[in-house]
Protein backbone atom coordinates (compact mmCIF):
# COMPACT_ATOMS: atom_id res chain seq x y z
CA UNK A 1 0.00 0.00 0.00
CA UNK A 2 1.05 3.60 -0.53
CA UNK A 3 1.86 6.05 2.23
CA UNK A 4 -1.42 7.84 1.49
CA UNK A 5 -3.42 4.61 1.72
CA UNK A 6 -1.82 3.71 5.04
CA UNK A 7 -2.58 7.21 6.26
CA UNK A 8 -6.27 6.97 5.34
CA UNK A 9 -6.59 3.66 7.18
CA UNK A 10 -4.78 4.99 10.25
CA UNK A 11 -6.92 8.13 10.24
CA UNK A 12 -10.02 6.06 10.83
CA UNK A 13 -8.61 4.66 14.07
CA UNK A 14 -8.07 8.17 15.41
CA UNK A 15 -11.26 9.64 14.00
CA UNK A 16 -13.41 7.26 16.04
CA UNK A 17 -12.09 9.18 19.06
CA UNK A 18 -13.02 12.52 17.53
CA UNK A 19 -9.47 13.39 16.47
CA UNK A 20 -9.30 15.35 13.22
CA UNK A 21 -5.95 14.18 11.91
CA UNK A 22 -5.76 16.68 9.05
CA UNK A 23 -6.20 19.55 11.52
CA UNK A 24 -3.58 17.99 13.78
CA UNK A 25 -1.03 18.08 10.96
CA UNK A 26 -1.90 21.71 10.18
CA UNK A 27 -1.33 22.60 13.81
CA UNK A 28 1.93 20.66 14.00
CA UNK A 29 3.54 22.37 11.03
CA UNK A 30 3.22 25.71 12.81
CA UNK A 31 5.17 24.60 15.91
CA UNK A 32 8.82 25.69 15.61
CA UNK A 33 11.69 23.84 17.25
CA UNK A 34 14.81 25.89 18.02
CA UNK A 35 17.71 23.82 16.70
CA UNK A 36 21.03 24.45 18.46
CA UNK A 37 23.88 25.36 16.14
CA UNK A 38 26.56 24.01 18.48
CA UNK A 39 25.92 20.34 17.64
CA UNK A 40 27.58 21.01 14.29
CA UNK A 41 31.02 22.04 15.54
CA UNK A 42 31.24 20.62 19.08
CA UNK A 43 30.66 24.04 20.69
CA UNK A 44 33.88 25.46 19.28
CA UNK A 45 32.57 28.71 17.82
CA UNK A 46 34.48 31.16 15.63
CA UNK A 47 36.23 33.55 17.99
CA UNK A 48 39.61 34.83 16.79
CA UNK A 49 40.97 34.20 20.29
CA UNK A 50 39.24 30.88 20.74
CA UNK A 51 39.59 29.30 24.19
CA UNK A 52 39.42 25.70 25.33
CA UNK A 53 35.93 24.36 26.08
CA UNK A 54 35.17 24.84 29.77
CA UNK A 55 32.34 25.45 32.21
CA UNK A 56 31.76 21.78 32.98
CA UNK A 57 30.94 21.10 29.32
CA UNK A 58 32.50 18.19 27.48
CA UNK A 59 31.94 16.92 23.95
CA UNK A 60 33.09 13.34 23.49
CA UNK A 61 34.00 11.64 20.24
CA UNK A 62 36.00 12.61 17.18
CA UNK A 63 33.75 11.81 14.26
CA UNK A 64 35.26 13.35 11.11
CA UNK A 65 33.78 16.30 9.25
CA UNK A 66 32.77 18.84 11.88
CA UNK A 67 32.16 22.39 10.68
CA UNK A 68 35.14 24.72 11.07
CA UNK A 69 33.77 27.87 9.43
CA UNK A 70 30.42 29.72 9.59
CA UNK A 71 29.76 28.78 5.97
CA UNK A 72 30.29 25.09 6.69
CA UNK A 73 28.09 25.23 9.76
CA UNK A 74 25.25 26.91 7.88
CA UNK A 75 25.59 24.44 5.03
CA UNK A 76 25.34 21.52 7.47
CA UNK A 77 22.30 23.08 9.14
CA UNK A 78 20.63 23.46 5.75
CA UNK A 79 21.23 19.79 5.04
CA UNK A 80 19.73 18.74 8.38
CA UNK A 81 16.75 21.08 7.92
CA UNK A 82 16.04 19.46 4.55
CA UNK A 83 15.23 16.24 6.46
CA UNK A 84 13.04 17.87 9.12
CA UNK A 85 9.36 18.67 8.47
CA UNK A 86 8.13 22.17 9.29
CA UNK A 87 9.68 25.64 9.59
CA UNK A 88 11.95 26.04 12.57
CA UNK A 89 14.49 28.24 14.34
CA UNK A 90 18.24 28.17 14.89
CA UNK A 91 19.74 28.83 18.31
CA UNK A 92 23.11 30.63 18.40
CA UNK A 93 25.70 31.19 21.10
CA UNK A 94 27.71 34.40 21.24
CA UNK A 95 30.88 32.54 20.22
CA UNK A 96 29.37 32.12 16.73
CA UNK A 97 29.94 35.80 15.96
CA UNK A 98 31.75 36.58 12.71
CA UNK A 99 34.47 39.21 13.24
CA UNK A 100 36.63 38.63 10.13
CA UNK A 101 39.56 37.49 12.24
CA UNK A 102 39.49 40.55 14.49
CA UNK A 103 39.64 39.94 18.24
CA UNK A 104 36.39 41.32 19.65
CA UNK A 105 35.86 40.79 23.35
CA UNK A 106 32.49 39.35 24.26
CA UNK A 107 31.39 42.46 26.12
CA UNK A 108 31.90 44.42 22.87
CA UNK A 109 29.89 42.17 20.53
CA UNK A 110 27.33 43.97 18.39
CA UNK A 111 24.52 43.03 16.01
CA UNK A 112 26.84 43.65 13.05
CA UNK A 113 28.84 40.57 14.06
CA UNK A 114 25.78 38.44 13.30
CA UNK A 115 24.66 40.05 10.04
CA UNK A 116 25.56 36.96 8.01
CA UNK A 117 23.41 34.78 10.29
CA UNK A 118 20.46 37.13 9.85
CA UNK A 119 20.87 37.25 6.07
CA UNK A 120 20.99 33.45 5.98
CA UNK A 121 17.97 33.12 8.31
CA UNK A 122 15.95 35.38 6.01
CA UNK A 123 16.88 33.28 2.99
CA UNK A 124 15.91 30.08 4.81
CA UNK A 125 12.76 31.46 6.45
CA UNK A 126 14.07 30.79 9.97
CA UNK A 127 13.87 32.56 13.31
CA UNK A 128 16.99 33.00 15.44
CA UNK A 129 17.46 32.60 19.19
CA UNK A 130 20.51 33.61 21.21
CA UNK A 131 22.66 32.79 24.23
CA UNK A 132 25.47 34.78 25.83
CA UNK A 133 28.51 32.51 26.19
CA UNK A 134 29.78 32.53 29.77
CA UNK A 135 32.31 29.71 29.43
CA UNK A 136 35.44 28.87 27.41
CA UNK A 137 37.05 32.18 28.41
CA UNK A 138 39.87 33.28 30.69
CA UNK A 139 37.44 35.33 32.77
CA UNK A 140 35.43 32.15 33.47
CA UNK A 141 38.46 30.02 34.34
CA UNK A 142 37.68 30.03 38.07
CA UNK A 143 34.20 28.63 37.52
CA UNK A 144 32.45 31.89 38.46
CA UNK A 145 31.09 34.64 36.19
CA UNK A 146 28.04 36.72 37.16
CA UNK A 147 28.51 35.68 40.80
CA UNK A 148 32.29 36.22 40.89
CA UNK A 149 33.58 38.13 43.96
CA UNK A 150 35.77 40.24 41.66
CA UNK A 151 33.65 43.21 40.55
CA UNK A 152 35.66 43.74 37.36
CA UNK A 153 35.02 40.17 36.20
CA UNK A 154 31.35 40.47 37.10
CA UNK A 155 31.03 43.70 35.13
CA UNK A 156 32.62 42.08 32.09
CA UNK A 157 29.99 39.34 32.06
CA UNK A 158 27.16 41.74 32.87
CA UNK A 159 28.12 43.83 29.84
CA UNK A 160 28.35 40.70 27.71
CA UNK A 161 24.79 39.75 28.65
CA UNK A 162 23.56 43.29 27.98
CA UNK A 163 25.16 43.12 24.53
CA UNK A 164 23.54 39.72 23.98
CA UNK A 165 20.07 41.10 24.68
CA UNK A 166 20.70 43.79 22.07
CA UNK A 167 21.70 41.12 19.57
CA UNK A 168 18.52 39.18 20.37
CA UNK A 169 16.50 42.36 19.84
CA UNK A 170 18.23 42.84 16.47
CA UNK A 171 17.27 39.31 15.45
CA UNK A 172 13.65 39.94 16.39
CA UNK A 173 13.42 43.20 14.48
CA UNK A 174 15.07 41.85 11.36
CA UNK A 175 13.26 38.50 11.21
CA UNK A 176 9.82 39.51 12.46
CA UNK A 177 9.78 36.88 15.21
CA UNK A 178 10.97 37.43 18.80
CA UNK A 179 14.33 35.97 19.75
CA UNK A 180 14.66 34.03 22.98
CA UNK A 181 17.85 35.22 24.70
CA UNK A 182 18.68 32.59 27.29
CA UNK A 183 21.22 33.10 30.09
CA UNK A 184 23.01 30.06 31.51
CA UNK A 185 26.13 30.34 33.64
CA UNK A 186 28.48 27.60 34.94
CA UNK A 187 28.95 29.20 38.38
CA UNK A 188 29.36 26.84 41.28
CA UNK A 189 31.76 24.98 43.56
CA UNK A 190 33.24 21.51 43.35
CA UNK A 191 33.14 21.02 47.14
CA UNK A 192 30.71 22.00 49.88
CA UNK A 193 30.53 25.82 50.17
CA UNK A 194 30.74 27.66 53.47
CA UNK A 195 28.42 30.37 52.14
CA UNK A 196 25.63 29.69 49.68
CA UNK A 197 23.86 33.02 50.03
CA UNK A 198 26.49 35.60 49.05
CA UNK A 199 27.17 34.26 45.52
CA UNK A 200 23.42 34.17 44.94
CA UNK A 201 23.08 37.75 46.12
CA UNK A 202 25.76 38.77 43.61
CA UNK A 203 24.03 36.80 40.83
CA UNK A 204 20.73 38.52 41.62
CA UNK A 205 22.40 41.95 41.52
CA UNK A 206 24.09 41.09 38.21
CA UNK A 207 20.82 39.98 36.65
CA UNK A 208 19.10 43.13 37.86
CA UNK A 209 21.72 45.20 36.00
CA UNK A 210 21.46 43.06 32.87
CA UNK A 211 17.69 43.49 32.71
CA UNK A 212 17.68 47.16 33.71
CA UNK A 213 16.82 48.28 30.20
CA UNK A 214 13.40 47.20 29.01
CA UNK A 215 13.32 45.53 25.59
CA UNK A 216 10.04 45.00 23.77
CA UNK A 217 9.09 41.31 23.93
CA UNK A 218 7.93 41.61 20.34
CA UNK A 219 11.66 41.47 19.55
CA UNK A 220 13.42 39.81 22.48
CA UNK A 221 12.26 37.45 25.23
CA UNK A 222 14.56 37.01 28.23
CA UNK A 223 15.07 33.59 29.82
CA UNK A 224 17.19 32.25 32.69
CA UNK A 225 18.30 28.61 32.89
CA UNK A 226 19.09 26.59 36.00
CA UNK A 227 21.23 23.54 36.70
CA UNK A 228 21.54 21.05 39.54
CA UNK A 229 25.23 20.14 39.22
CA UNK A 230 28.01 19.72 36.69
CA UNK A 231 31.70 18.98 36.31
CA UNK A 232 33.43 21.36 38.72
CA UNK A 233 30.16 22.31 40.42
CA UNK A 234 29.18 18.99 41.90
CA UNK A 235 28.33 20.34 45.35
CA UNK A 236 26.83 23.75 44.65
CA UNK A 237 25.42 25.64 41.68
CA UNK A 238 24.69 29.32 42.22
CA UNK A 239 21.88 29.42 39.65
CA UNK A 240 19.75 26.63 41.04
CA UNK A 241 16.21 25.84 39.91
CA UNK A 242 14.75 27.50 42.99
CA UNK A 243 16.86 30.62 42.45
CA UNK A 244 15.88 31.10 38.83
CA UNK A 245 12.27 30.10 39.30
CA UNK A 246 11.91 32.76 42.00
CA UNK A 247 13.78 35.34 39.93
CA UNK A 248 11.76 34.66 36.78
CA UNK A 249 8.42 34.88 38.56
CA UNK A 250 9.31 38.05 40.43
CA UNK A 251 10.83 39.82 37.42
CA UNK A 252 8.55 38.60 34.63
CA UNK A 253 11.24 36.57 32.88
CA UNK A 254 10.95 33.17 31.27
CA UNK A 255 12.29 30.21 33.22
CA UNK A 256 14.17 27.79 30.98
CA UNK A 257 14.25 24.09 31.88
CA UNK A 258 16.99 21.90 30.46
CA UNK A 259 16.00 18.24 30.70
CA UNK A 260 19.60 17.32 31.47
CA UNK A 261 20.01 19.75 34.36
CA UNK A 262 18.13 17.88 37.05
CA UNK A 263 18.57 14.80 39.20
CA UNK A 264 18.45 11.56 37.12
CA UNK A 265 15.19 10.54 38.83
CA UNK A 266 13.63 14.00 38.41
CA UNK A 267 11.49 14.62 35.32
CA UNK A 268 10.96 17.96 33.61
CA UNK A 269 7.63 16.77 32.21
CA UNK A 270 6.26 16.75 35.75
CA UNK A 271 7.22 20.42 36.23
CA UNK A 272 5.53 21.85 33.15
CA UNK A 273 1.93 22.03 34.40
CA UNK A 274 2.93 23.60 37.72
CA UNK A 275 5.04 26.27 36.09
CA UNK A 276 2.39 27.13 33.51
CA UNK A 277 0.00 28.00 36.33
CA UNK A 278 2.23 30.93 37.26
CA UNK A 279 3.97 31.84 33.99
CA UNK A 280 2.66 32.87 30.60
CA UNK A 281 5.69 31.33 28.92
CA UNK A 282 8.14 28.54 29.57
CA UNK A 283 11.32 27.58 27.69
CA UNK A 284 12.71 24.09 27.23
CA UNK A 285 16.15 22.81 26.28
CA UNK A 286 15.42 19.21 25.39
CA UNK A 287 18.37 16.91 25.91
CA UNK A 288 18.90 13.30 27.00
CA UNK A 289 20.90 12.79 30.18
CA UNK A 290 22.50 9.39 30.67
CA UNK A 291 23.33 9.06 34.38
CA UNK A 292 24.23 12.76 34.49
CA UNK A 293 24.02 15.86 32.28
CA UNK A 294 25.67 14.17 29.32
CA UNK A 295 23.48 15.75 26.62
CA UNK A 296 22.96 12.73 24.36
CA UNK A 297 20.99 12.95 21.11
CA UNK A 298 17.27 13.10 21.87
CA UNK A 299 15.42 9.82 21.32
CA UNK A 300 11.70 9.08 21.43
CA UNK A 301 11.77 7.72 24.95
CA UNK A 302 9.09 7.81 27.66
CA UNK A 303 10.16 11.21 29.00
CA UNK A 304 10.18 12.87 25.58
CA UNK A 305 6.71 11.49 24.90
CA UNK A 306 5.55 12.73 28.31
CA UNK A 307 6.97 16.20 27.61
CA UNK A 308 4.98 16.29 24.37
CA UNK A 309 1.84 15.17 26.16
CA UNK A 310 2.20 17.78 28.90
CA UNK A 311 2.61 20.58 26.35
CA UNK A 312 -0.34 19.45 24.24
CA UNK A 313 -2.82 18.38 26.93
CA UNK A 314 -2.31 21.74 28.67
CA UNK A 315 -2.93 23.70 25.44
CA UNK A 316 0.56 25.15 25.73
CA UNK A 317 1.96 24.85 22.20
CA UNK A 318 2.03 28.65 22.01
CA UNK A 319 3.37 29.03 25.56
CA UNK A 320 6.30 26.60 25.64
CA UNK A 321 9.30 27.64 23.57
CA UNK A 322 10.95 24.37 22.60
CA UNK A 323 14.67 24.24 21.95
CA UNK A 324 17.19 21.41 21.75
CA UNK A 325 20.54 21.12 23.52
CA UNK A 326 22.74 18.11 22.88
CA UNK A 327 26.20 17.57 21.44
CA UNK A 328 27.53 14.27 20.21
CA UNK A 329 30.82 14.01 18.34
CA UNK A 330 30.74 10.22 18.22
CA UNK A 331 28.30 10.12 15.28
CA UNK A 332 27.64 12.11 12.12
CA UNK A 333 26.62 15.56 13.35
CA UNK A 334 24.04 16.21 10.61
CA UNK A 335 22.44 12.89 11.50
CA UNK A 336 22.43 13.87 15.19
CA UNK A 337 20.47 17.05 14.42
CA UNK A 338 18.08 15.12 12.20
CA UNK A 339 17.41 12.32 14.68
CA UNK A 340 16.93 14.65 17.64
CA UNK A 341 14.69 17.19 15.94
CA UNK A 342 12.52 14.64 14.16
CA UNK A 343 12.02 12.88 17.49
CA UNK A 344 10.92 16.09 19.20
CA UNK A 345 8.35 16.63 16.45
CA UNK A 346 7.25 13.00 16.69
CA UNK A 347 6.61 13.46 20.42
CA UNK A 348 4.35 16.43 19.70
CA UNK A 349 2.52 14.55 16.96
CA UNK A 350 2.01 11.56 19.25
CA UNK A 351 0.53 13.87 21.88
CA UNK A 352 -1.78 15.55 19.38
CA UNK A 353 -3.14 12.13 18.38
CA UNK A 354 -4.25 11.20 21.90
CA UNK A 355 -7.86 11.87 23.05
CA UNK A 356 -6.61 14.10 25.84
CA UNK A 357 -9.94 15.67 26.80
CA UNK A 358 -11.61 12.27 27.11
CA UNK A 359 -8.76 10.95 29.25
CA UNK A 360 -8.98 14.02 31.48
CA UNK A 361 -12.68 13.36 32.03
CA UNK A 362 -12.01 9.74 32.93
CA UNK A 363 -9.66 10.96 35.64
CA UNK A 364 -12.22 13.46 36.93
CA UNK A 365 -14.79 10.68 37.06
CA UNK A 366 -12.43 8.39 38.94
CA UNK A 367 -12.45 5.86 36.11
CA UNK A 368 -8.81 4.89 36.46
CA UNK A 369 -9.22 1.47 34.83
CA UNK A 370 -10.31 2.88 31.48
CA UNK A 371 -7.81 5.72 31.77
CA UNK A 372 -4.88 3.30 32.15
CA UNK A 373 -6.17 0.93 29.48
CA UNK A 374 -6.56 3.67 26.86
CA UNK A 375 -3.28 5.39 27.67
CA UNK A 376 -1.52 2.09 27.09
CA UNK A 377 -3.48 1.13 23.96
CA UNK A 378 -2.70 4.44 22.26
CA UNK A 379 0.99 3.63 22.48
CA UNK A 380 0.48 1.10 19.69
CA UNK A 381 -2.03 3.01 17.57
CA UNK A 382 -0.84 3.51 13.94
CA UNK A 383 1.07 6.68 14.75
CA UNK A 384 3.85 5.76 12.32
CA UNK A 385 1.54 5.88 9.31
CA UNK A 386 0.49 9.41 10.25
CA UNK A 387 4.12 10.47 10.71
CA UNK A 388 5.14 9.03 7.33
CA UNK A 389 2.35 10.89 5.57
CA UNK A 390 3.24 14.13 7.36
CA UNK A 391 6.86 13.84 6.20
CA UNK A 392 5.77 13.17 2.62
CA UNK A 393 3.30 16.05 2.71
CA UNK A 394 5.99 18.41 4.03
CA UNK A 395 8.44 17.34 1.31
CA UNK A 396 11.05 15.65 3.52
CA UNK A 397 12.33 12.05 3.40
CA UNK A 398 10.03 9.34 4.78
CA UNK A 399 11.26 6.88 7.41
CA UNK A 400 15.00 6.18 7.30
CA UNK A 401 15.50 7.20 3.65
CA UNK A 402 17.17 10.43 4.80
CA UNK A 403 20.09 8.36 6.06
CA UNK A 404 21.25 7.58 2.51
CA UNK A 405 21.44 11.31 1.77
CA UNK A 406 23.49 11.84 4.94
CA UNK A 407 25.90 9.12 3.85
CA UNK A 408 26.25 10.75 0.45
CA UNK A 409 26.77 14.18 2.05
CA UNK A 410 29.43 12.68 4.27
CA UNK A 411 31.32 11.29 1.28
CA UNK A 412 30.98 14.37 -0.91
CA UNK A 413 31.35 17.14 1.70
CA UNK A 414 32.32 16.09 5.22
CA UNK A 415 35.09 13.65 4.25
CA UNK A 416 36.83 16.37 2.22
CA UNK A 417 36.97 18.61 5.29
CA UNK A 418 38.62 15.82 7.21
CA UNK A 419 41.22 15.20 4.49
CA UNK A 420 42.05 18.92 4.35
CA UNK A 421 42.50 19.07 8.14
CA UNK A 422 44.63 15.92 8.09
Amino acid sequence: MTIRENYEIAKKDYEKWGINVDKVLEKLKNVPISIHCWQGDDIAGFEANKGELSGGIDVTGNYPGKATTPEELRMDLEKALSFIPGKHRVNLHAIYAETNGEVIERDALEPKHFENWVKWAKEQGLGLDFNPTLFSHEKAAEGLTLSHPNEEIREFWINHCISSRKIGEYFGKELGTPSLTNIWIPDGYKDIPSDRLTPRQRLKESLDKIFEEEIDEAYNVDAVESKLFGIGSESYVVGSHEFYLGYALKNNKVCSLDTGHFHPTETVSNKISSMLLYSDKLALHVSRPVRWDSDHVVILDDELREIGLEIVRNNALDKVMIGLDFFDASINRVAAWTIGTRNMIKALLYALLVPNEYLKQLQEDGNFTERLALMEEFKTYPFGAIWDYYCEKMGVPVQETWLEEVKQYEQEVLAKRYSVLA
Side-chain angles (χ1 to χ4, degrees):
M1 283 192 291
T2 65
I3 289 171
R4 177 73 195 218
E5 288 170 336
N6 284 332
Y7 171 71
E8 293 297 336
I9 292 170
K11 261 176 70 174
K12 291 181 170 58
D13 276 341
Y14 291 104
E15 285 173 345
K16 70 186 180 187
W17 291 100
I19 298 168
N20 187 319
V21 181
D22 292 324
K23 285 186 177 179
V24 161
L25 299 186
E26 282 299 306
K27 181 179 287 189
L28 183 63
K29 77 177 186 180
N30 293 315
V31 181
I33 309 299
S34 190
I35 302 168
H36 55 310
C37 76
W38 49 91
Q39 165 60 45
D41 76 331
D42 306 344
I43 327 179
F46 306 121
E47 288 181 310
N49 54 339
K50 189 181 297 184
E52 290 294 319
L53 188 61
S54 70
I57 300 169
D58 190 18
V59 181
T60 54
N62 193 31
Y63 200 90
K66 76 174 182 179
T68 59
T69 68
E71 293 77 18
E72 289 178 351
L73 184 56
R74 287 191 281 267
M75 182 167 58
D76 292 352
L77 276 163
E78 283 180 37
K79 178 55 67 174
L81 285 162
S82 73
F83 304 138
I84 298 164
K87 276 294 180 183
H88 301 289
R89 309 178 64 83
V90 168
N91 197 1
L92 299 174
H93 250 283
I95 53 174
Y96 292 88
E98 295 176 65
T99 64
N100 296 317
E102 184 182 355
V103 174
I104 304 290
E105 271 298 354
R106 292 185 196 171
D107 61 341
L109 286 173
E110 299 178 52
K112 67 181 181 182
H113 300 123
F114 294 88
E115 287 177 349
N116 290 338
W117 283 105
V118 168
K119 180 183 176 184
W120 174 76
K122 286 179 179 178
E123 292 169 353
Q124 300 297 317
L126 301 166
L128 290 177
D129 296 312
F130 200 65
N131 308 261
T133 308
L134 290 92
F135 52 85
S136 301
H137 191 280
E138 61 183 8
K139 284 187 168 65
E142 296 176 14
L144 297 172
T145 59
L146 293 177
S147 69
H148 202 290
N150 183 311
E151 185 177 356
E152 183 181 336
I153 290 176
R154 274 201 320 280
E155 284 298 317
F156 173 84
W157 291 116
I158 288 168
N159 290 331
H160 172 52
C161 290
I162 290 171
S163 299
S164 296
R165 294 181 74 221
K166 289 292 187 182
I167 293 164
E169 180 186 34
Y170 162 67
F171 290 168
K173 286 181 176 179
E174 288 291 319
L175 300 173
T177 175
S179 176
L180 179 72
T181 299
N182 179 68
I183 296 176
W184 174 81
I185 63 174
D187 297 34
Y189 292 118
K190 181 179 180 66
D191 215 337
I192 301 166
S194 55
D195 177 9
R196 291 179 171 88
L197 181 60
T198 303
R200 286 177 172 149
Q201 287 176 324
R202 286 195 291 260
L203 175 55
K204 179 185 179 300
E205 290 166 4
S206 294
L207 292 171
D208 289 344
K209 289 182 180 179
I210 291 165
F211 297 130
E212 211 166 60
E213 182 181 341
E214 291 288 332
I215 295 179
D216 193 333
E217 286 198 351
Y219 307 125
N220 179 78
V221 176
D222 296 309
V224 287
E225 178 183 338
S226 66
K227 193 168 187 176
L228 176 63
F229 66 92
I231 297 175
S233 60
E234 289 86 351
S235 297
Y236 169 75
V237 169
V238 183
S240 65
H241 176 60
E242 294 78 11
F243 174 90
Y244 279 130
L245 180 59
Y247 190 90
L249 290 173
K250 185 174 181 180
N251 295 280
N252 195 32
K253 302 301 177 187
V254 173
C255 197
S256 180
L257 303 179
D258 187 305
T259 59
H261 284 191
F262 294 87
H263 192 277
T265 61
E266 200 174 2
T267 58
V268 163
S269 59
N270 195 38
K271 301 178 187 299
I272 293 172
S273 58
S274 294
M275 295 181 69
L276 287 173
L277 284 172
Y278 303 101
S279 302
D280 293 331
K281 290 188 183 299
L282 176 65
L284 293 182
H285 271 190
V286 183
S287 183
R288 178 168 57 102
V290 176
R291 303 196 185 278
W292 69 287
D293 173 28
S294 46
D295 292 318
H296 286 63
V297 177
V298 171
I299 62 172
L300 191 58
D301 58 8
D302 289 344
E303 173 61 0
L304 188 66
R305 243 190 344 241
E306 201 62 31
I307 286 171
L309 283 165
E310 283 297 301
I311 294 171
V312 169
R313 63 168 59 122
N314 292 302
N315 299 313
L317 284 168
D318 60 344
K319 297 177 182 177
V320 179
M321 307 166 83
I322 307 170
L324 305 180
D325 185 6
F326 53 79
F327 25 90
D328 190 343
S330 69
I331 65 173
N332 182 293
R333 294 167 184 83
V334 174
W337 269 322
T338 304
I339 295 164
T341 314
R342 281 171 68 111
N343 278 333
M344 185 67 247
I345 302 167
K346 285 178 186 177
L348 294 173
L349 176 58
Y350 176 86
L352 286 162
L353 292 171
V354 170
N356 293 297
E357 292 306 315
Y358 184 72
L359 290 169
K360 285 181 185 180
Q361 191 57 51
L362 290 177
Q363 180 170 304
E364 290 296 293
D365 294 341
N367 191 342
F368 306 136
T369 302
E370 187 174 350
R371 181 189 65 178
L372 178 60
L374 290 178
M375 287 171 72
E376 289 303 301
E377 289 298 335
F378 265 86
K379 289 179 180 177
T380 51
Y381 260 56
F383 157 80
I386 308 296
W387 168 254
D388 290 347
Y389 174 74
Y390 179 62
C391 288
E392 183 178 71
K393 183 181 179 184
M394 297 300 290
V396 302
V398 176
Q399 296 178 343
E400 69 281 1
T401 55
W402 61 268
L403 194 53
E404 288 305 313
E405 287 192 52
V406 168
K407 291 176 182 177
Q408 184 178 353
Y409 186 71
E410 183 172 303
Q411 291 174 353
E412 296 176 357
V413 178
L414 304 183
K416 292 178 182 177
R417 291 180 198 166
Y418 179 67
S419 61
V420 168
L421 289 172

